[in-house]
Amino acid sequence: MKCPVCASSKNAVVETFGEFKIRDCSDCALQFADPLRYDTANYEQAYARQDSSKPDFYVPAMRWLAESSPDLREFPWFLFSAQWAALRWLGNNVPVGEPLLDLGCGSGWFLAALKAHGYRAMGAEIGIKPVEILQQRGFTVACGSIESIPSDWPRPAAVTMFEVLEHLPDPLGMLRSIREHFPSAKLVISVPSPTRWTKRGAHRDPADFPPNHLTRWNVASLRHALELAGYTNAAVEPSRPTNREFSAVGIQGWLLDRKRADMADRMADAIVPTRLRSLHSEIRARKKKAILGAALVPLFLAKGWSGISLLATAG
């Protein structure tokens, strides 16, 4: 099977997961699933799950979005460190007032952050439910991917895309599509970091396996993909762990003894709350966990653990 980024056939199977094989490309260092299969129905099903009493409940985003203020002013507690770094980069490289497009905008927290920083925020999201809610709130959001962007929208000065590329069967095709649609736009994207603190530098999260994550990126592979897509001045680096990022995930599973628990069980709480709080209860809990996170961040840095994401900028 050829690598979905560099098209090299020089890859070997390094891991298996159910029906999937995980291949490692020796030319560009990307790890990818075989087969590369993507199903948008999975995301519709995830967004639709609203009953927290069911064991398969794992997307609290819609309830929290429904409970949020009209302008999503709660956004500071729902951004991860790469998004804060992206806001700083945009502030230094894109004038306030310019239109910015967030692809895969999800629940719209970053759109709210862009508006709060003085930008004209636009978004696109494949999930029907969040699009409906965001449109009702007055946000400019289209349902679908980049091809769904209305022709009468202003051309964005920058395009952002957070934690999307790893879900796609053709990541290089997506990057090339952004470049072709918006050739003059700056680009800011993130993917999960291979050294993120949630893994303690040694374990895969359950979310890292297909069919959820079809690709696993590092600095070299992401930079190579951007260059192949036509971006000549891309910079890629791990985000810095922060106490607010720490507060956004469960810590019970993260603290469990790794030698005595199955990986999927022990990491589940590090990704998904075991019980669904109300939005305001969740924010109160995050404020408390941020205090613990502030004490742990220096430890993470000393061990060489990054924030949750790699951040790439170009333009």
Side-chain angles (χ1 to χ4, degrees), residues 1-314:
M1 183 176 182
K2 291 185 177 181
C3 172
V5 168
C6 70
S8 172
S9 297
K10 298 177 182 178
N11 56 76
V13 176
V14 295
E15 198 172 356
T16 59
F17 186 74
E19 64 180 299
F20 294 91
K21 298 179 177 67
I22 310 299
R23 294 181 176 272
D24 188 287
C25 179
S26 60
D27 283 348
C28 74
L30 179 78
Q31 289 190 347
F32 60 94
D34 177 9
L36 285 163
R37 186 167 59 243
Y38 171 80
D39 185 2
T40 57
N42 291 339
Y43 291 89
E44 285 304 321
Q45 183 181 15
Y47 279 125
R49 291 172 180 162
Q50 296 299 303
D51 185 356
S52 61
S53 67
K54 293 183 178 180
D56 63 352
F57 177 87
Y58 68 99
V59 180
M62 291 304 93
R63 173 173 168 177
W64 289 341
L65 177 58
E67 293 176 351
S68 65
S69 58
D71 58 357
L72 274 64
R73 61 175 174 270
E74 299 87 354
F75 75 84
W77 289 100
F78 292 90
L79 301 187
F80 48 96
S81 60
Q83 290 177 308
W84 287 111
L87 285 171
R88 291 191 294 270
W89 189 89
L90 290 168
N92 292 329
N93 291 275
V94 180
V96 170
E98 291 289 331
L100 301 186
L101 173 64
D102 187 28
L103 294 175
C105 64
S107 298
W109 302 114
F110 193 72
L111 293 179
L114 289 175
K115 292 183 70 172
H117 283 72
Y119 293 107
R120 298 165 61 190
M122 307 176 294
E125 166 59 41
I126 64 171
I128 297 173
K129 187 62 175 179
V131 171
E132 290 177 347
I133 297 176
L134 290 170
Q135 288 177 342
Q136 292 170 1
R137 300 290 183 86
F139 286 87
T140 303
V141 182
C143 188
S145 188
I146 192 168
E147 293 79 12
S148 303
I149 304 300
S151 59
D152 60 348
W153 281 16
R155 305 293 285 180
V159 174
T160 60
M161 187 172 68
F162 302 106
E163 314 300 287
V164 172
L165 208 61
E166 66 273 13
H167 298 284
L168 306 179
D170 183 14
L172 180 59
M174 170 57 83
L175 293 175
R176 284 175 168 165
S177 181
I178 296 172
R179 184 69 167 168
E180 291 169 3
H181 279 79
F182 311 114
S184 62
K186 302 180 189 303
L187 180 67
V188 181
I189 66 173
S190 75
V191 296
S193 170
T195 59
R196 57 191 181 274
W197 64 267
T198 55
K199 290 169 38 183
R200 295 192 176 200
H203 299 280
R204 289 287 180 194
D205 295 340
D208 240 350
F209 290 91
N212 186 44
H213 288 180
L214 299 179
T215 50
R216 299 171 179 171
W217 300 83
N218 55 44
V219 171
S221 58
L222 185 54
R223 183 183 294 116
H224 188 60
L226 290 167
E227 290 171 351
L228 290 175
Y231 294 96
T232 58
N233 59 343
V236 183
E237 62 181 5
S239 59
R240 180 185 175 91
T242 65
N243 63 328
R244 283 200 179 188
E245 186 174 74
F246 178 87
S247 75
V249 302
I251 60 175
Q252 180 178 345
W254 187 82
L255 293 172
L256 287 177
D257 184 350
R258 291 309 186 262
K259 296 180 180 179
R260 297 183 181 179
D262 176 76
M263 185 188 73
D265 291 334
R266 74 188 180 215
M267 291 305 298
D269 187 54
I271 299 172
V272 186
T274 54
R275 59 187 177 87
L276 182 62
R277 305 182 182 94
S278 68
L279 173 65
H280 296 297
S281 294
E282 175 65 19
I283 291 175
R284 285 196 298 270
R286 292 190 181 197
K287 288 180 178 179
K288 293 178 180 178
K289 284 194 290 183
I291 298 173
L292 175 60
L296 289 175
V297 164
L299 172 64
F300 297 167
L301 293 172
K303 288 183 171 292
W305 300 345
S306 72
I308 291 174
S309 305
L310 295 176
L311 182 69
T313 58

